[in-house]
Amino acid sequence: MLPTTQFGPQAQTPEQRARVLEQMLAYYAQMGIKLSPHVVALHQRYVAGELSWTDVCALRAAA
C-alpha cells in the first residue's frame, strides 16, 4: 500500500491511527479533559479512515 498524504507517516493504517489516538486520549485523561460524544464520533471516523486529522479539527471547530 502506498502512503497517502491524507494521513501522517505514522498513521497510514487504522491500527496506526488508533495508536496515535490512544496516546492523545491518554494525555487528555491525564489532564482531566472530557470529550463530547460528537468528538468521540469524529475520532472513530478518523480511525476508520473516513476523515483526516485536519478534517477532525475543522469539524470540531465548526461545532
Side-chain angles (χ1 to χ4, degrees):
M1 172 171 62
L2 293 174
T4 177
T5 58
Q6 181 179 4
F7 302 105
Q10 301 301 315
Q12 291 293 306
T13 67
E15 293 80 12
Q16 289 172 325
R17 289 189 291 277
R19 179 66 183 136
V20 169
L21 183 60
E22 192 178 293
Q23 292 171 344
M24 186 188 69
L25 294 177
Y27 171 77
Y28 282 173
Q30 239 181 1
M31 301 303 292
I33 298 170
K34 304 285 185 202
L35 301 176
S36 71
H38 172 69
V39 172
V40 171
L42 292 176
H43 289 171
Q44 290 170 341
R45 292 179 64 195
Y46 165 72
V47 171
E50 296 174 22
L51 299 173
S52 69
W53 191 251
T54 303
D55 296 334
V56 171
C57 293
L59 290 167
R60 284 179 67 174

